Amino acid sequence: MIDKFVDKGKIIALAVITVTLLIIFTIRIFYLQVSQGLRFLNASGSISTVSQILPARRGLIYDRHGEQLVFHEDFFAVYVDMRAIDSEDNLIQLRERLKHELELSDSFLDRRMPWSEAKPVTEAVLIREDVAFEKIAYFAENRELFPGVQWQPRSKRIYSEEAGVAHILGYVAEISEDELQILYNDGYRRGDRIGKSGIEKEYDRYLRGAPGRQYFMVDARGQRIHEIEDARQLAQNGSNLYLTIDMRIQRLAYDALAGRRGSVIVLRPSSGEILAMVSNPVFNANSFSERGSRGLAAQIMDPNFPFINRTISAVYPAASPFKIITETTILENEAVSPDFKVYCPGYINIGNLTFYCHDRNGHGWQNLSDALANSCNVYFWTIAKDYLGKDNRGNSDPSKIADIARDFGLGAYTEIDLPGEKSGIIPDRAWKEDTYNSAWVGGDTMNMAIGQGFVQVTPLQMANVTAMVANRGIIFKPHVVMRVSNEDVGFEHTKTAEVLHQSQISQESWRRLNQDMRGVVTRGTGWVLTRATTVAGKTGTGETGIDRQFHDWFVAFAPYETTNPEERIVVVVQIEANNNYQWWSTKIADFIIQGYFAEQSYHDVLRTLQPWYMNWRAVTGDNLPPRPLPSTAAVLATLEE
Amino acid sequence: MRAIIEFLKRFDYLIFLPIVVLLTFSVFFVYSAGINSYGISVSNEWQKQIIWASIGLMMFFILTVIDYQRYRDIAIISYIINLLLLLAVLIVGTKISGAKRWLGLGPFGIQPAEFAKIGFILIIARFLSSYGRNPRHASTLGITGLLVLLPMILILRQPDFGTSMVFLVILGMMLFMAGGSALLLTFFVTIIIWFLLLIFFPLYFDLVKERDIWITTLLSSPYWLGWVGAVAFVIIIISLVGWFTYHKWIYLISVYLSTSFGIAVGLTWLAHQRFQTYQWDRLRVFVNPQIDPLGSGWHILQSLTAIGSGGVYGRGYLGGIHSHNQFLPEQSTDFIFSIILEETGFVGAVILLLAYGTLLLRLLFIMSKSRDKFSMLVIGGTFSLLLIHVWINIGMVIGLMPIKGVPLFLLSYGGSSVLSMMILLGIVSSISLRQYR
């Protein structure tokens, strides 16, 4: 007897439920795979790909004639991805090969690439960082011999260490947090290299190019499996820069400076192009990228501050070259007639203080031209104190001088295309009140008249002052880069001369100034040995307050007269105070001018000028061999005649 | 000799064939799940799965050969052994991710909870088929309740909430088949439907539509739920009064709806009180996986992407990137279906669904032709177990069910799940061999 215990109805209900469920599932799966399949296919691609930046080749830097100053050396860092090695035998084989190819020690490989049963979970292991391209090519061609071996390019930027170009070129290093904060929106990323000083910094945007991108297939841990070749975007290499610098002149200037602490600028006043820029001591730009930065530490601690570009970032008292400004002030304000004479006994008494002219014997009666040629302090003190340095109410007021000084571009930036420029100081009454909380006095004016006191200038500013005299009223913006060019993109841009400042000073004044600066050389303190051209200039000796230690200046332009102003150069030499007080600035400028116009190297300059005041043979190495004594027979022979 | 021929004639191939298909897929794709991105096999799970499958097939045949009445005899013993094993795992079991589910035996461990289902089905089947037991009687319900509570409590202590719930469902199904009232079942179903609405309606508005309407606050806060419950209660009273007074149909329906609704409100209130954050997260992520794509939404999104990227023909055996690049966690167990679909596409999906469908419908068929209540109930229990797991696992993997990690019988890697299902199917096969003409 069988119970009617099977309820067919319920079974059918269950069957219906089952079938319905499976149909719903089928429809859903159909939706996912067939209807939306493409979308998911794309989605699975995007979560499993990762992109990596392809670094762009940084632009190179050349001098104006195409001499290369920055070089790239390509190296690679080699890694091994241990997950590609599936057996101990394979590992041993690979290690042997790598040991042979990359010259690694057994113990090193033991540490870096050990065999373990546990599946490795770490990223690929770095095994060597400075592998040459040929080795990488070999790895690439024989991939089956080197499973799991990967590499990344690491190029090193190498700078010319000649002639002190380091200050101009600068150096690159990894971008800092502060810089990243500001520059992130411009496309800079963590780990990027960025110029930190000099041209590298100023033109970083042109030099760095644009990075490309590579896409890799990854697993869930982000480990790379292989590259998706089609998606690769090539990098755009950086632009190359051609400087206005002429390496011949740069070397000449550097050699002429002969290791003294100071700076040299050679520029072309007709365009503002800088032909040479030397600041000594120099730093070594390559010490930033070399391993073991002992050299770097020593340079950072050097009390002579090798990293400062003294031509633009160091300020000095202008000293006697400032008399150019004072003379201009006298001329423009018609304070006295240029023929007005002042007697210089070698000193001047103000109240109960005595100030000495630099020749304590005195210069005698001086007019304006004499005073400039001889650099007579007493003349300028007198005129400044009695005629220039007073306002309408008779209070001490240097504003006439200050205004002219500013007209020459002092106290302001020259807008040169290098970072770190200082603007110096041109004081006036308001400035002194603000800074020192005390009133301007006559003594301040006197100091200012001879370029001492509060006046502070950079060598480049003084070069501009000289340029303005040579150009008779115009200064062009000084610049170091002549041309930017990028072959990849077909971009090229040549800089044209830009006016920095046009002065309203009268042409008559310029004529006089030119004449008087020539006088400095022909009959004054600035005599030179060179005959290659005519020179006009102004010497200077800046006081430091330390006995027998003076800054030394010489600013000059040459040729003095010419039908082709474009061939003119301005040379400024500044030697910092040291113990050998010997007016070296003038002599160095002398050598440079000779070398420039006669197209000679420093050694050849010395051989031509044969400066009696130095042992030049020791420098050129021309120690003449002693003449051999004639033999006895030869002597007897001459006697017989 | 004759016996063998007879055996071959009566042998139920419609059960055996799907099993073979599923186990074959299982071995192949557990292997695939163990391949890393370089194509090197990093896991030996596939080897263990071959062992499990072989043992399982062996047991299947042995069990088929044995007369199923024997199983009735050992029902009580098996049940007690199961309880002891469950107790043992609580005491000496290994703790993995905060739960004690495993009894280790060297490199081969077992999960007593899986095997407990066998003993449970057997004893319930035996009990309900014994003379005079009517599921509508309180005594029957009481005893079955006890029988289900014991393993459930032990499993809940592991803790394993999901597995213990499965026991309840199996019991429900077996009661239903044994003669439980259909009305009661539909009543329970209605409660569940109300419950799901009450839970998911606010979540949907919150996470997908991102609009706050007054209903969502009403239904998510226990305070307001109390008021709703009170309103429901009032309606129940009114409807009851109406029915007893006027005997109109409409009042009966009203009673039905409002009572079920009221109970559902009560359950919702309980849920809001008792559900842990991670359980709510699973529900939220189920409604909208994008709210936490790297955290709790990760599984769903990865699974959907893997499946979807399979297209019609799949990415080819061993060609799936999700498995090989380790994007899907648990890819040899809970998400094995995703891996298979990624590599075999819609074609593979259809084959597998057909395999499961055949198996399930065959079970129903044998059930309809069963000669005694015991065998019917055993098959019923097996059927419901298989259906539940297929429903939850595949549903989860394709995004139609919230994440709940249950193994997909015969496909997922795992000795306990393979063996327990093979044992049950072996018993069913034995029944089929002897009963079906």
Side-chain angles (χ1 to χ4, degrees):
Chain A
M1 252 311 292
I2 303 174
D3 267 300
K4 252 294 191 276
F5 55 83
V6 177
D7 188 339
K8 293 269 168 86
K10 289 182 185 170
I11 296 200
I12 291 180
L14 288 175
V16 166
I17 291 177
T18 308
V19 171
T20 313
L21 184 75
L22 292 178
I23 289 180
I24 292 178
F25 281 175
T26 312
I27 294 176
R28 168 72 171 175
I29 294 177
F30 183 85
Y31 169 76
L32 288 178
Q33 293 191 311
V34 181
S35 157
Q36 295 282 311
L38 231 51
R39 171 166 89 83
F40 282 109
L41 200 56
N42 286 336
S44 78
S46 69
I47 54 175
S48 62
T49 54
V50 101
S51 68
Q52 185 198 357
I53 306 248
L54 274 177
R57 174 67 72 97
R58 197 172 170 88
L60 296 171
I61 306 180
Y62 303 84
D63 89 333
R64 70 185 302 129
H65 297 301
E67 183 176 334
Q68 194 169 351
L69 300 173
V70 175
F71 302 85
H72 275 143
E73 252 176 70
D74 277 323
F75 292 106
F76 291 84
V78 174
Y79 301 82
V80 175
D81 187 353
M82 297 291 284
R83 292 167 307 144
I85 304 163
D86 55 357
S87 74
E88 189 163 5
D89 288 330
N90 284 345
L91 178 70
I92 292 176
Q93 243 185 356
L94 180 65
R95 276 167 54 163
E96 274 309 304
R97 291 192 192 119
L98 289 176
K99 183 167 136 198
H100 173 73
E101 294 292 335
L102 296 180
E103 289 160 27
L104 302 166
S105 71
D106 270 325
S107 59
F108 177 80
L109 284 170
D110 258 334
R111 272 201 323 272
R112 290 293 176 102
M113 294 172 57
W115 169 256
S116 72
E117 276 300 327
K119 296 307 163 185
V121 295
T122 55
E123 275 273 356
V125 178
L126 172 66
I127 52 175
R128 194 155 157 193
E129 259 196 308
D130 50 355
V131 181
F133 177 72
E134 296 77 29
K135 197 65 72 178
I136 300 295
Y138 177 67
F139 286 153
E141 280 159 24
N142 297 289
R143 268 187 202 271
E144 63 285 350
L145 293 180
F146 297 96
V149 173
Q150 302 167 343
W151 49 85
Q152 295 245 352
R154 291 234 189 297
S155 73
K156 213 153 91 155
R157 200 158 164 88
I158 299 185
Y159 298 97
S160 161
E161 290 178 23
E162 274 200 77
V165 286
H167 283 113
I168 304 172
L169 297 175
Y171 65 95
V172 289
E174 196 171 314
I175 190 168
S176 70
E177 275 306 312
D178 299 330
E179 287 164 334
L180 195 57
Q181 294 259 1
I182 305 170
L183 296 173
Y184 190 85
N185 287 335
D186 292 329
Y188 288 82
R189 295 288 174 264
R190 215 170 284 275
D192 279 355
R193 287 196 302 180
I194 186 176
K196 298 280 184 174
S197 80
I199 294 285
E200 293 277 21
K201 179 168 181 180
E202 192 78 10
Y203 287 85
D204 189 74
R205 241 158 275 244
Y206 291 95
L207 289 168
R208 80 187 224 112
R213 235 165 228 289
Q214 257 181 325
Y215 291 88
F216 292 92
M217 182 83 100
V218 293
D219 66 14
R221 289 204 199 89
Q223 311 292 342
R224 291 199 202 136
I225 303 159
H226 67 83
E227 189 192 348
I228 302 173
E229 304 265 337
D230 296 333
R232 189 194 290 182
Q233 283 167 10
L234 289 175
Q236 189 188 87
N237 290 328
S239 307
N240 292 330
L241 299 179
Y242 291 84
L243 302 179
T244 57
I245 303 287
D246 185 336
M247 278 310 281
R248 183 179 79 80
I249 316 294
Q250 181 82 8
R251 286 186 189 105
L252 176 64
Y254 182 77
D255 291 340
L257 191 57
R260 296 181 182 89
R261 209 172 70 196
S263 49
V264 179
I265 298 181
V266 179
L267 63 75
R268 193 161 277 161
S270 58
S271 63
E273 287 175 24
I274 295 188
L275 298 171
M277 181 187 254
V278 179
S279 168
N280 203 46
V282 183
F283 67 94
N284 184 347
N286 289 320
S287 51
F288 288 95
S289 56
E290 264 150 29
R291 223 169 293 170
S293 52
R294 272 163 287 147
L296 190 58
Q299 290 177 71
I300 294 175
M301 304 298 263
D302 187 341
N304 290 318
F305 301 112
F307 289 102
I308 294 184
N309 183 345
R310 286 165 158 82
T311 58
I312 55 175
S313 307
V315 289
Y316 306 92
S320 300
F322 194 83
K323 290 171 185 157
I324 297 175
I325 281 98
T326 321
E327 167 164 338
T328 315
T329 318
I330 297 173
L331 292 171
E332 284 290 298
N333 284 290
E334 292 174 354
V336 293
S337 147
D339 297 315
F340 179 76
K341 286 198 175 162
V342 169
Y343 185 75
C344 169
Y347 59 87
I348 190 172
N349 288 322
I350 307 285
N352 49 4
L353 292 170
T354 305
F355 299 98
Y356 291 96
C357 197
H358 62 80
D359 184 350
R360 297 199 179 193
N361 298 324
H363 293 107
W365 288 100
Q366 304 271 296
N367 66 11
L368 184 56
S369 305
D370 302 328
L372 195 73
N374 297 320
S375 201
C376 176
N377 291 347
V378 172
Y379 177 93
F380 287 101
W381 278 333
T382 312
I383 305 292
K385 178 169 69 76
D386 296 332
Y387 299 95
L388 282 184
K390 290 201 161 50
D391 65 9
N392 299 339
R393 276 184 265 133
N395 296 324
S396 285
D397 186 354
S399 52
K400 296 195 182 79
I401 306 178
D403 288 341
I404 297 289
R406 292 197 188 103
D407 204 10
F408 271 88
L410 295 179
Y413 295 106
T414 66
E415 295 181 33
I416 187 175
D417 52 358
L418 286 175
E421 190 185 9
K422 290 224 165 103
S423 58
I425 298 175
I426 295 295
D428 59 15
R429 285 184 69 129
W431 178 89
K432 191 179 179 197
E433 304 257 354
D434 285 339
T435 316
Y436 289 97
N437 225 350
S438 61
W440 187 272
V441 294
D444 292 330
T445 313
M446 285 170 61
N447 269 336
M448 189 167 174
I450 61 164
Q452 301 281 166
F454 302 117
V455 174
Q456 298 211 325
V457 298
T458 67
L460 183 61
Q461 285 173 329
M462 291 313 292
N464 273 350
V465 166
T466 316
M468 188 138 114
V469 175
N471 288 337
R472 303 193 184 211
I474 262 193
I475 307 178
F476 291 94
K477 207 187 275 192
H479 54 279
V480 177
V481 168
M482 189 168 74
R483 192 163 79 244
V484 178
S485 94
N486 191 330
E487 274 165 15
D488 286 354
V489 190
F491 166 80
E492 183 158 320
H493 175 69
T494 308
K495 274 205 187 200
T496 49
E498 266 179 76
V499 175
L500 178 64
H501 184 65
Q502 169 90 50
S503 162
Q504 299 306 312
I505 293 171
S506 68
Q507 287 299 314
E508 175 56 32
S509 300
W510 292 124
R511 198 188 56 77
R512 271 218 104 87
L513 279 165
N514 269 266
Q515 216 174 11
D516 291 344
M517 280 182 79
R518 178 67 178 147
V520 169
V521 173
T522 51
R523 61 189 179 97
T525 55
W527 54 265
V528 292
L529 294 174
T530 180
R531 295 276 176 270
T533 178
T534 50
V535 182
K538 181 74 194 80
T539 57
T541 306
E543 284 175 18
T544 57
I546 303 172
D547 198 25
R548 301 224 296 140
Q549 286 201 21
F550 301 91
H551 291 307
D552 196 30
W553 285 97
F554 189 64
V555 305
F557 63 91
Y560 166 60
E561 266 173 342
T562 170
T563 49
N564 180 13
E566 308 222 326
E567 65 160 347
R568 252 202 201 114
I569 58 169
V570 161
V571 177
V572 170
V573 179
Q574 200 280 349
I575 307 288
E576 286 186 10
N578 55 31
N579 286 326
N580 282 335
Y581 170 49
Q582 284 180 21
W583 298 50
W584 271 111
S585 300
T586 319
K587 296 165 173 124
I588 291 171
D590 189 7
F591 298 149
I592 294 175
I593 294 173
Q594 165 73 23
Y596 179 89
F597 286 100
E599 290 185 26
Q600 290 176 325
S601 69
Y602 178 56
H603 286 187
D604 286 339
V605 164
L606 290 179
R607 290 188 188 106
T608 312
L609 298 182
Q610 302 200 345
W612 47 265
Y613 45 78
M614 68 183 272
N615 183 3
W616 58 272
R617 286 202 176 81
V619 176
T620 60
D622 292 348
N623 288 314
L624 299 174
R627 273 209 307 204
L629 292 170
S631 65
T632 322
V635 170
L636 289 173
T638 54
L639 286 176
E640 237 128 76
E641 302 223 339
Chain B
M1 197 58 224
R2 179 96 72 98
I4 297 181
I5 297 177
E6 202 54 35
F7 178 83
L8 289 174
K9 270 177 26 182
R10 284 170 169 263
F11 184 68
D12 196 337
Y13 294 96
L14 280 180
I15 293 187
F16 186 65
L17 226 54
I19 291 179
V20 169
V21 168
L22 291 171
L23 285 177
T24 313
F25 266 84
S26 175
V27 167
F28 274 102
F29 287 94
V30 167
Y31 176 76
S32 173
I35 301 281
N36 78 356
S37 38
Y38 278 95
I40 298 173
S41 174
V42 294
S43 162
N44 59 358
E45 283 178 344
W46 63 281
Q47 292 166 338
K48 291 195 209 165
Q49 189 73 347
I50 290 181
I51 295 176
W52 298 128
S54 315
I55 298 179
L57 283 169
M58 242 178 18
M59 300 211 59
F60 180 81
F61 282 116
I62 295 174
L63 290 166
T64 309
V65 165
I66 298 176
D67 190 337
Y68 68 89
Q69 298 286 355
R70 296 277 165 269
Y71 307 130
R72 183 165 208 272
D73 297 336
I74 63 166
I76 302 183
I77 295 285
S78 349
Y79 180 71
I80 293 180
I81 294 180
N82 279 137
L83 284 183
L84 288 175
L85 283 175
L86 284 175
L87 206 58
V89 86
L90 283 179
I91 301 173
V92 299
T94 6
K95 203 164 191 176
I96 301 181
S97 353
K100 278 190 179 180
R101 295 181 199 177
W102 290 86
L103 274 182
L105 281 169
F108 298 94
I110 61 163
Q111 281 186 313
E114 297 291 324
F115 292 101
K117 294 168 191 169
I118 303 174
F120 178 71
I121 291 177
L122 287 177
I123 203 173
I124 296 287
R126 170 168 174 159
F127 177 70
L128 286 178
S129 60
S130 44
Y131 186 70
R133 284 297 175 186
N134 192 327
R136 298 179 195 224
H137 289 170
S139 59
T140 313
L141 286 173
I143 297 185
T144 52
L146 187 67
L147 286 174
V148 84
L149 226 51
L150 287 175
M152 270 186 72
I153 291 179
L154 287 175
I155 292 178
L156 272 172
R157 298 277 293 164
Q158 283 185 351
D160 190 347
F161 182 75
T163 311
S164 65
M165 285 298 124
V166 168
F167 276 77
L168 260 185
V169 174
I170 297 177
L171 177 67
M173 174 68 78
M174 292 177 78
L175 281 174
F176 174 65
M177 286 310 301
S181 90
L183 184 63
L184 202 60
L185 187 69
T186 45
F187 186 65
F188 278 123
V189 169
T190 319
I191 294 181
I192 291 178
I193 293 178
W194 281 126
F195 177 67
L196 290 176
L197 277 176
L198 288 173
I199 294 272
F200 281 106
F201 192 72
L203 283 181
Y204 178 72
F205 266 93
D206 185 25
L207 299 172
V208 177
K209 296 286 193 188
E210 286 179 15
R211 279 189 348 227
D212 259 332
I213 57 182
W214 59 275
I215 295 191
T216 53
T217 20
L218 189 72
L219 296 177
S220 355
S221 85
Y223 174 72
W224 285 110
L225 278 175
W227 282 104
V228 174
V231 168
F233 187 69
V234 166
I235 298 182
I236 293 175
I237 300 294
I238 295 178
S239 321
L240 277 173
V241 165
W243 163 249
F244 282 119
T245 317
Y246 298 110
H247 296 281
K248 286 263 172 51
W249 249 74
I250 185 141
Y251 291 106
L252 204 57
I253 294 177
S254 173
V255 170
Y256 178 81
L257 286 175
S258 52
T259 317
S260 57
F261 182 73
I263 298 180
V265 168
L267 286 177
T268 316
W269 183 86
L270 250 184
H272 280 281
Q273 295 284 76
R274 285 309 180 89
F275 267 11
Q276 316 259 22
T277 331
Y278 83 89
Q279 284 161 324
W280 276 117
D281 280 342
R282 280 194 179 161
L283 292 178
R284 295 166 68 87
V285 151
F286 168 66
V287 173
N288 184 359
Q290 294 295 344
I291 59 167
D292 192 4
L294 295 177
S296 29
W298 176 260
H299 289 64
I300 298 186
L301 286 175
Q302 292 307 321
S303 177
L304 292 178
T305 316
I307 293 176
S309 65
V312 178
Y313 295 105
R315 295 179 95 134
Y317 184 54
L318 301 185
I321 58 173
H322 277 80
S323 49
H324 299 151
N325 301 348
Q326 314 294 326
F327 278 107
L328 256 185
E330 306 293 344
Q331 54 195 29
S332 62
T333 52
D334 297 341
F335 284 89
I336 188 84
F337 199 71
S338 315
I339 299 296
I340 297 179
L341 257 55
E342 185 186 17
E343 297 189 357
T344 59
F346 189 67
V347 170
V350 168
I351 294 177
L352 290 179
L353 288 176
L354 275 176
Y356 279 116
T358 311
L359 200 49
L360 286 164
L361 290 176
R362 182 66 181 169
L363 286 175
L364 285 177
F365 184 78
I366 304 172
M367 210 158 84
S368 70
K369 292 271 198 260
S370 43
R371 301 272 198 85
D372 57 76
K373 211 166 181 184
F374 173 74
S375 33
M376 177 188 81
L377 290 173
V378 166
I379 300 173
T382 310
F383 169 83
S384 56
L385 180 64
L386 184 62
L387 182 68
I388 279 293
H389 278 233
V390 164
W391 188 340
I392 294 181
N393 185 298
I394 298 186
M396 153 183 92
V397 150
I398 61 179
L400 290 180
M401 295 280 291
I403 296 283
K404 180 77 203 80
V406 295
L408 186 56
F409 283 121
L410 302 179
L411 276 186
S412 291
Y413 162 74
S416 306
S417 85
V418 167
L419 285 181
S420 57
M421 181 49 71
M422 288 303 279
I423 290 173
L424 283 170
L425 287 174
I427 298 175
V428 171
S429 165
S430 165
I431 295 172
S432 162
L433 188 87
R434 286 168 179 78
Q435 293 193 353
Y436 173 59
R437 270 217 210 285

